[in-house]
Amino acid sequence: MIDHSLLRPELTRPEVLAGLATAREYATASVCVRPADVALAVAGLRGSGVAVGTVVGFPHGGATTATKERETAELVALGAAEIDMVIDVGRLRDGDVAYVEEQVAAVVVAADGRPVKVILENWYLSDEQKVAGCAASERAGAAYVKTSTGFAGGGATAADIALMRRSVSPSMGVKAAGGVRTLDALLTLRDLGATRFGATTTAAMLDDLARRLASRDG
């Protein structure tokens, strides 16, 4: 359920490679890397079963639809298997839901069958806007709605996960990202309906899980 996140702007190539090794060791669902690291991640994770994801319009979402389409197509060509796109947050706050839906739909087409996770950046949104963003994303064919980039003022909250889960159909995923740093936090959000998690503390959380399972079985 974890997308191991390698998105910090200061990461060096050795640090990215170390992150890829962590994802391989712990058999995460995916890594989520910066666009410039997609080729490196594809090569580094070949044969591991760990998918390579990346971001589009990140972190602010203000690029044009054509730019997001081109970015998506390029990253797919490089081997990206999942796309996390940031919506135009200002347009959603304006009430221009049609624009948001059309942009998500364009990225879904450019992703050519690969899952698209739509980052709403909830920190800036009212509950009404979050619900509208969820509905637009589902109508546009996205696979997931996602709480945040991790670069705004706040990340995933229990209230937001519960709201997003109620706002989409059971077939759509909900991704919690930003501030999910402990196993207990992850489990709480899972129980509220999150189905995927963006995390940087992957090893610590899964080591904690292993200790708990060993103690229970012992």
Side-chain angles (χ1 to χ4, degrees):
M1 299 177 78
I2 294 177
D3 296 342
H4 186 53
S5 178
L6 299 169
L7 295 171
R8 294 198 318 272
E10 77 278 11
L11 290 177
T12 63
R13 283 175 63 88
E15 288 168 334
V16 172
L17 289 170
L20 299 179
T22 296
R24 180 185 283 271
E25 176 183 355
Y26 288 90
T28 59
S30 79
V31 293
C32 193
V33 299
R34 300 168 302 193
D37 297 324
V38 167
L40 179 68
V42 168
L45 291 172
R46 187 169 287 115
S48 69
V50 178
V52 175
T54 191
V55 289
V56 164
F58 195 87
H60 301 303
T64 66
T65 299
T67 297
K68 290 180 181 180
E69 285 179 295
R70 288 193 297 270
E71 188 176 15
T72 302
E74 178 185 6
L75 296 171
V76 165
L78 288 170
E82 299 184 350
I83 299 293
D84 289 32
M85 69 161 290
V86 187
I87 65 163
D88 189 316
V89 182
R91 288 293 188 102
L92 182 55
R93 295 183 71 228
D94 281 338
D96 195 350
V97 178
Y99 179 91
V100 172
E101 182 175 341
E102 289 164 7
Q103 188 171 85
V104 174
V107 170
V108 168
V109 170
D112 195 24
R114 291 152 185 84
V116 172
K117 304 169 199 161
V118 179
I119 305 172
L120 300 178
E121 202 66 291
N122 287 342
W123 174 257
Y124 300 115
L125 304 176
S126 67
D127 283 355
E128 182 180 3
Q129 290 161 349
K130 294 167 194 174
V131 171
C134 285
S137 299
E138 184 157 23
R139 288 193 301 268
Y144 293 80
V145 285
K146 178 177 170 181
T147 57
S148 49
T149 61
F151 289 86
T157 68
D160 277 349
I161 292 299
L163 177 66
M164 293 166 77
R165 183 71 275 166
R166 294 194 302 269
S167 300
V168 297
S169 68
S171 63
M172 193 172 198
V174 175
K175 180 173 174 180
V180 184
R181 297 188 178 92
T182 68
L183 180 61
D184 286 331
L186 185 152
L187 293 174
T188 295
L189 297 179
R190 181 202 63 178
D191 291 345
L192 290 169
T195 55
R196 195 76 77 88
F197 299 88
T200 58
T201 58
T202 300
M205 289 193 293
L206 294 181
D207 287 345
D208 187 9
L209 176 62
R211 286 191 294 269
R212 296 187 196 192
L213 292 174
S215 176
R216 183 193 68 182
D217 295 341

